[in-house]
Amino acid sequence: MKFKTMAALAVTTAFAVPLAQAQDTIKVGVIAAFSGPFADYGKQMEGGIKAWIAKNGDTVAGKKIQVIYKDTTGPSPEIAKRLAQELVVRDKVDFLAGFGLTPEALAVAPIAQQAKKPMIVMNAATSIITTKSDYIARFSMTLPQISAPMGDWAVKNKIRNVATVVADYGPGIDAEKAFSERLAKNGGKVVEAIRVPLRNPEFAPYIQRIKDAKPDAVFVFVPAGEQSIAFMKGYRERGLLDAGIKVIATGDLTDDHVLPAMGDATLGVITTFHYSAAHKSPENEAFLKSFAGANPKGGRPNFMAVAAYDGMNAIYQVSQKLNGKIDGPKAMAVLKGMKINSPRGPISIDPATRDVVQTVYVRKVEKIGNEPYNVEFDQFPNQKDPGKEGK
Ligand code: PHB
């Protein structure tokens, strides 16, 4: 709008329309790593957001949705915090969103709380995150939610003695605890528990330790991407496959985006997870089509793209319900109990914890045509985050 018309409008409506209502955009600030070792996280989320907008347009309740992307280069909690402050104070965003890595989500939680800004978590998966601000709603997963069912599946399938390998930070420790407890409850046992550093882990010596412990299987959580590739390379090269030691893992290990580059050592790997690109449903078909159209060089979308797509769906629903006037407490009331027919299957937001409730699938890496996929063959419906039981 030209200044002259704006001035004219101001004269006629100065007393009738408060300034906030005159704004014609809803702003979403997306904080994630877009460069550095976790660059794929930001790119997947951006891809999912673009897929949502391509399918649903960029206007809600008569307002234009403006997405502002900010690169933490992380994992970097300090940068994430500074970017959140800038987005709130300078850009005056209505929503904070993104968050691939737990330390970055934790660093931003106090800002969401203080500024009363809804914070839509699109990956970061340590159980405790949603307890750190009343303004957080999580559309991804939690590691206990994904890992505990594997403790059931393993024992049912005669896997009793297990070595665990997890990244040594929030989500890894959550995964180790939830899996080990469920395994023990079913009569299984952890024979070796290994934690590897988050930054640049050297897997070879750990993999040797696993081999020496002679377990039935190794349970793995490493953050999706480069580390998945590094672990599977070590697994193959150190002869675990030949020694008959199976891999059971959270689906981060066989992340859809990197799976095609991981080679045949992944064939047969069993994982529990909330999303597979091979999930059969009309919602997933529509998502894959929209993702491919909006991201011609994006490759295969993974779980972070789906969580971002669903997170945008939630932002649109909130904006619609509030008629374009975003207010923190009112937005949270809309988010609590929200239901979405996600590309992964039905999900909802638990009103008590603001965490996602969803089906956890058991999958096996198999080839469909020439390409490896996580093929779902069993499921645990309606899983809440067990990490918050009794809290
Ligand atoms: C996290 O930091 O919370 C995180 C990162 C990567 C994953 C899962 C969780 O694959």
Side-chain angles (χ1 to χ4, degrees):
M1 200 184 281
K2 284 203 190 84
F3 178 69
K4 229 171 156 184
T5 25
M6 264 179 72
L9 202 70
V11 171
T12 51
T13 60
F15 299 105
V17 182
L19 194 61
Q21 285 182 29
Q23 291 175 358
D24 54 5
T25 57
I26 292 170
K27 292 186 184 176
V28 182
V30 175
I31 299 174
F34 288 89
S35 62
F38 297 97
D40 211 33
Y41 292 19
K43 288 176 193 156
Q44 282 285 326
M45 288 178 194
E46 183 177 2
I49 291 168
K50 284 186 172 157
W52 176 264
I53 294 174
K55 193 165 177 302
N56 298 280
D58 65 354
T59 309
V60 186
K63 298 207 173 182
K64 202 167 162 68
I65 301 286
Q66 184 190 354
V67 185
I68 306 168
Y69 295 96
K70 296 283 183 187
D71 180 7
T72 65
T73 71
S76 178
E78 301 76 22
I79 295 178
K81 188 172 176 191
R82 177 172 56 71
L83 293 174
Q85 270 157 347
E86 282 174 20
L87 284 166
V88 167
V89 174
R90 202 183 58 199
D91 298 305
K92 302 203 166 27
V93 294
D94 299 291
F95 294 90
L96 292 165
F99 310 104
L101 292 148
T102 286
E104 296 181 351
L106 289 176
V108 172
I111 294 170
Q113 185 67 17
Q114 199 191 13
K116 297 191 167 56
K117 292 291 170 197
M119 174 169 162
I120 307 296
V121 174
M122 295 171 165
N123 185 56
T126 303
S127 178
I128 206 169
I129 290 171
T130 44
T131 70
K132 297 296 179 189
S133 165
D134 304 326
Y135 290 88
I136 297 177
R138 177 154 42 195
F139 285 81
S140 47
M141 57 150 173
T142 79
L143 262 308
Q145 177 184 53
I146 300 295
S147 307
M150 186 58 101
D152 289 334
W153 190 87
V155 175
K156 247 191 227 148
N157 289 276
K158 303 196 169 47
I159 294 172
R160 289 179 189 284
N161 296 323
V162 183
T164 59
V165 178
V166 300
D168 190 6
Y169 78 123
I173 291 159
D174 267 7
E176 181 192 86
K177 181 167 182 284
F179 170 76
S180 307
E181 284 179 3
R182 189 65 68 83
L183 188 78
K185 199 172 146 209
N186 291 318
K189 196 168 116 199
V190 170
V191 295
E192 179 82 65
I194 297 170
R195 295 180 181 178
V196 304
L198 174 60
R199 284 168 210 259
N200 308 315
E202 173 51 65
F203 284 110
Y206 301 118
I207 290 175
Q208 190 59 43
R209 264 171 70 192
I210 298 164
K211 198 175 173 190
D212 296 343
K214 296 192 172 57
D216 302 326
V218 53
F219 169 82
V220 186
F221 165 77
V222 290
E226 283 180 356
Q227 297 200 16
S228 329
I229 298 174
F231 178 85
M232 286 312 296
K233 188 164 172 277
Y235 172 77
R236 194 179 58 238
E237 286 174 359
R238 295 260 150 179
L240 262 68
L241 185 64
D242 297 338
I245 299 170
K246 298 186 181 72
V247 177
I248 54 176
T250 66
D252 308 82
L253 184 71
T254 55
D255 160 17
D256 277 303
H257 188 62
V258 297
L259 187 60
M262 285 169 78
D264 284 353
T266 56
L267 294 175
V269 169
I270 305 284
T271 54
T272 40
F273 219 35
H274 54 305
Y275 178 68
S276 165
H279 181 71
K280 286 198 173 61
S281 71
E283 290 82 10
N284 192 36
E285 237 169 72
F287 164 70
L288 292 172
K289 194 167 159 233
S290 190
F291 186 92
N295 306 278
K297 291 194 183 128
R300 203 191 281 178
N302 72 8
F303 59 106
M304 299 190 198
V306 168
Y309 184 81
D310 292 340
M312 281 308 279
N313 183 338
I315 287 170
Y316 275 42
Q317 286 196 48
V318 168
S319 303
Q320 192 73 54
K321 283 246 166 70
L322 300 184
N323 209 10
K325 296 184 207 71
I326 310 305
D327 162 273
K330 285 185 191 155
M332 296 318 292
V334 177
L335 287 163
K336 288 178 192 174
M338 182 179 278
K339 290 184 168 53
I340 289 180
N341 276 327
S342 164
R344 67 190 107 163
I347 67 168
S348 66
I349 297 298
D350 183 342
T353 61
R354 290 162 280 100
D355 235 329
V356 63
V357 181
Q358 60 192 338
T359 300
V360 175
Y361 302 89
V362 190
R363 311 99 48 87
K364 184 179 193 171
V365 180
E366 286 171 6
K367 282 199 173 157
I368 300 179
N370 264 336
E371 293 276 298
Y373 276 93
N374 293 293
V375 178
E376 296 165 351
F377 65 90
D378 202 355
Q379 52 178 268
F380 293 77
N382 254 320
Q383 298 293 301
K384 287 190 177 186
D385 172 32
K388 291 194 194 70
E389 265 162 25
K391 281 180 196 158

